[in-house]
């Protein structure tokens, strides 16, 4: 089974400029029901911000979401995937880097996201994760 | 999977009081490295609030960190008993489309079990 990253990724990731505010990202994550925003600068991927990052790095630090920029809080130096990478490669990266989400890049442009949930669903349809909506509100 | 819920749960759940601030709840999640805290009111379990709840219900709604966290919590929690098989927790999460269940023992909350506890990502 040599499934490719493009077969399991979520397409059309939410991308926002590094200069946009945390408030704008929070509204986008709520509206689009996603937990991650890819942060771009001049069309290139600069980093990633999750819903948890906003809680931990902004709310817990008493920073103002309206004036804090995504570029100030994003996680950089990301491991990335290509659409034609094997799924096994993605699983290895997730383990080695201890991350839950990996951006998928084609020709320098973000085209998708792969999450731990996507990988678990692919590896084991009977796992505890299958049947639980991956994009459901986290509660 | 014959493990019991108590074998896989995170014991000693972190709780905040209904009247404590949103910022305090966020700091508890940061300091304890957890994604959810229980909300307690009048010494009874009131609800549960996750890191995503704080982003969606506070930050996205322009609520400040000084407001009380209680009103942001999710109620009508589905609980599981510490002596139940882990498979029972899996079935409850599927049925109710939730990722975390408070674990009940002797009438009080003994821990939280999350979907990550039930399906370790390291499978191969």
């Amino acid at each position: 089974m040599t499934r490719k990253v493009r077969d399991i990724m979520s397409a059309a990731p939410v991308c926002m400029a590094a200069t946009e505010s945390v408030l704008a990202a929070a509204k986008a994550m709520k509206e689009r029901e996603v937990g991650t925003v890819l942060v771009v600068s001049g069309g290139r991927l600069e980093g990633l911000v999750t819903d948890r990052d906003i809680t931990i790095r902004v709310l817990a630090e008493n920073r103002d979401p309206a004036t804090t920029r995504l570029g100030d809080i994003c996680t950089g130096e990301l491991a990335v995937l290509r659409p034609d990478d094997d799924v096994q490669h993605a699983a290895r990266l997730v383990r080695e880097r201890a991350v839950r989400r990996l951006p998928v890049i084609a020709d320098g442009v973000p085209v998708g996201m792969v999450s731990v949930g996507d990988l678990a669903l692919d590896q084991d349809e009977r796992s505890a994760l299958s049947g639980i909506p991956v994009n459901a509100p986290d509660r | 999977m014959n493990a019991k819920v108590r074998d896989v749960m995170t014991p000693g759940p972190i709780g905040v009081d209904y009247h404590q601030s949103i910022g305090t709840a966020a700091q508890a999640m940061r300091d304890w490295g957890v994604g959810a805290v229980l909300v307690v009111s009048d010494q009874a379990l009131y609800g549960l609030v996750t890191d995503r709840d704080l982003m969606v219900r506070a930050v996205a709604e322009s609520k400040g960190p000084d407001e009380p966290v209680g009103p942001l919590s999710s109620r009508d929690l589905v609980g599981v008993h510490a002596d139940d098989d882990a498979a029972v927790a899996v079935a409850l999460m599927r049925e109710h489309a939730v990722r975390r269940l408070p674990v009940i023992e002797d009438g009080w909350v003994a821990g939280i079990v999350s979907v990550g506890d039930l399906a370790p990502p390291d499978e191969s």
Side-chain angles (χ1 to χ4, degrees):
Chain A
M1 188 178 67
T2 53
R3 303 253 290 158
K4 302 295 185 184
V5 161
R6 69 162 52 85
D7 299 325
I8 64 161
M9 71 180 189
S10 311
V14 178
C15 297
M16 297 181 75
T19 51
E20 290 213 65
S21 72
V22 168
L23 177 60
K27 288 182 170 173
M29 285 188 200
K30 178 186 178 182
E31 205 167 288
R32 312 246 328 234
E33 297 186 333
V34 296
T36 309
V37 165
L38 296 180
V39 180
V40 292
S41 186
R44 311 290 296 186
L45 182 67
E46 184 171 317
L48 168 159
V49 169
T50 69
D51 43 14
R52 180 174 173 84
D53 292 337
I54 290 179
T55 292
I56 301 299
R57 298 177 187 168
V58 179
L59 208 47
E61 302 288 340
N62 217 2
R63 294 160 91 167
D64 183 353
T67 57
T68 303
R69 295 175 174 196
L70 293 180
D72 299 333
I73 65 156
C74 71
T75 302
E77 297 184 21
L78 302 176
V80 298
L81 296 167
R82 294 169 195 283
D84 53 359
D85 282 337
D86 289 343
V87 166
Q88 287 90 333
H89 175 67
R92 203 178 316 124
L93 263 185
V94 163
R95 277 199 299 275
E96 282 173 8
R97 298 293 205 100
V99 293
R100 304 180 61 83
R101 303 170 175 99
L102 292 168
V104 184
I105 306 295
D107 300 325
V109 178
V111 294
M113 291 282 301
V114 169
S115 73
V116 168
D118 297 330
L119 291 166
L121 283 172
D122 187 67
Q123 285 176 8
D124 181 5
E125 297 293 336
R126 292 162 303 150
S127 81
L129 287 162
S130 68
I132 297 171
V134 172
N135 286 327
D138 196 7
R139 46 180 281 231
Chain B
M1 181 159 54
N2 290 319
K4 300 293 183 188
V5 168
R6 88 164 70 257
D7 301 327
V8 297
M9 72 180 186
T10 302
I14 313 303
V16 295
D17 188 84
Y18 181 97
H19 297 287
Q20 282 188 286
S21 72
I22 291 168
T24 300
Q27 287 157 8
M29 290 179 192
R30 177 194 64 194
D31 296 345
W32 292 88
V34 295
V37 295
L38 296 169
V39 178
V40 176
S41 179
D42 292 333
Q43 300 187 348
L45 180 60
Y46 178 85
L48 176 147
V49 67
T50 70
D51 45 16
R52 180 173 176 88
D53 291 337
L54 293 185
M55 189 221 70
V56 169
R57 300 172 189 170
V59 179
E61 300 292 336
S62 298
K63 280 197 172 72
D66 297 332
E67 295 191 37
V69 69
L72 305 189
S73 46
S74 297
R75 307 207 56 196
D76 298 326
L77 300 181
V78 181
V80 64
H81 198 276
D83 291 325
D84 282 338
D85 287 340
V88 171
V90 173
L92 283 171
M93 287 183 191
R94 281 198 184 131
E95 186 183 340
H96 297 277
V98 295
R99 296 170 182 225
R100 296 180 176 88
L101 305 172
V103 181
I104 309 298
E105 184 169 42
D106 296 331
W108 187 234
V109 185
I112 289 186
V113 63
S114 76
V115 69
D117 300 328
L118 296 163
D122 193 6
E123 293 189 41
S124 55

